[in-house]
Amino acid sequence: MEYRRIHLPLRIEDIQTLRAGEAVLLSGELYTARDAAHKRLFALLENPQGADLPADWPLPAPCAIYYAGPCPAAPGEVIGPCGPTTSARMDVYTPALLDAGITALIGKGPRSPAVLEALRGRAVYFAVTGGAGVLIARSIKKVEMIAFPELGTEAIRRFTIEDMPAIVACDSMGGNLYERYT
């Protein structure tokens, strides 16, 4: 399999060249966020006044979000296994986060029609293999806590990654790898 090297964060020019089914190696920076973090980010988007905002708020635009909650690191490791969680659980929040400048989403599983429509012309969804948390952890070179440390594994972290394998699952033109198999 031949991989295309992609640097995060994605610019709109990059997004428009990616097609569903394409194998990529992702490098650069991304942020982790799972269910609890999404709920908090969504609430902050809805009402930012008076809130205890994360240091990096708003998340830099453009940026990528990886739906993952990493396991603790073993001694001498940067991070423990860090596989994807099911992306559909974040679907209710995704259009608003895309409006805030997210240009790439990374997780596993199909997305809702509302998310597919929200991706059009401005973002892409990458799928990574569930159960491959140890393999994915090898791509993570640096980890920084960004927001909501009290959420434990669901806190927002910034990762610096190198050559994280992924597949373009849903592109900005409406291409959807999952439609081929349903």
Side-chain angles (χ1 to χ4, degrees):
M1 178 179 291
E2 201 167 316
Y3 288 89
R4 179 174 166 192
R5 294 188 181 279
I6 301 295
H7 185 77
L8 299 175
L10 289 174
R11 299 169 306 153
I12 193 68
E13 303 85 52
D14 302 320
I15 292 165
Q16 293 172 344
T17 68
L18 295 166
R19 295 294 174 261
E22 191 172 2
V24 298
L25 293 172
L26 302 172
S27 295
E29 287 190 349
L30 57 80
Y31 293 80
T32 62
R34 285 185 51 145
D35 312 51
H38 270 73
K39 185 175 181 178
R40 288 201 186 171
L41 287 173
F42 187 76
L44 290 172
L45 286 171
E46 295 282 297
N47 184 18
Q49 286 73 29
D52 184 19
L53 299 175
D56 271 10
W57 187 260
L59 291 176
C63 73
I65 291 185
Y66 178 33
Y67 304 134
C71 294
E77 299 291 328
V78 173
I79 197 165
C82 191
T85 195
T86 303
S87 302
R89 293 197 317 260
M90 273 51 79
D91 282 0
V92 68
Y93 309 114
T94 299
L97 290 172
L98 292 173
D99 288 344
I102 307 304
T103 58
L105 308 166
I106 306 162
K108 70 177 182 182
R111 305 307 299 264
S112 70
V115 169
L116 297 174
E117 186 58 35
L119 291 172
R120 284 191 178 269
R122 63 180 172 163
V124 64
Y125 170 57
F126 297 102
V128 293
T129 304
V134 172
L135 171 67
I136 292 168
R138 292 181 191 161
S139 301
I140 301 167
K141 304 305 179 188
K142 183 178 176 185
V143 178
E144 300 169 80
M145 178 64 66
I146 298 299
F148 316 133
E150 68 279 7
L151 295 179
T153 60
E154 292 207 26
I156 296 177
R157 293 170 173 79
R158 179 175 34 232
F159 288 175
T160 301
I161 60 169
E162 185 177 305
D163 292 340
M164 182 174 149
I167 300 291
V168 178
C170 303
D171 64 39
S172 67
M173 306 300 286
N176 182 352
L177 182 64
Y178 292 103
E179 283 182 346
R180 298 179 192 173
Y181 302 103
T182 58

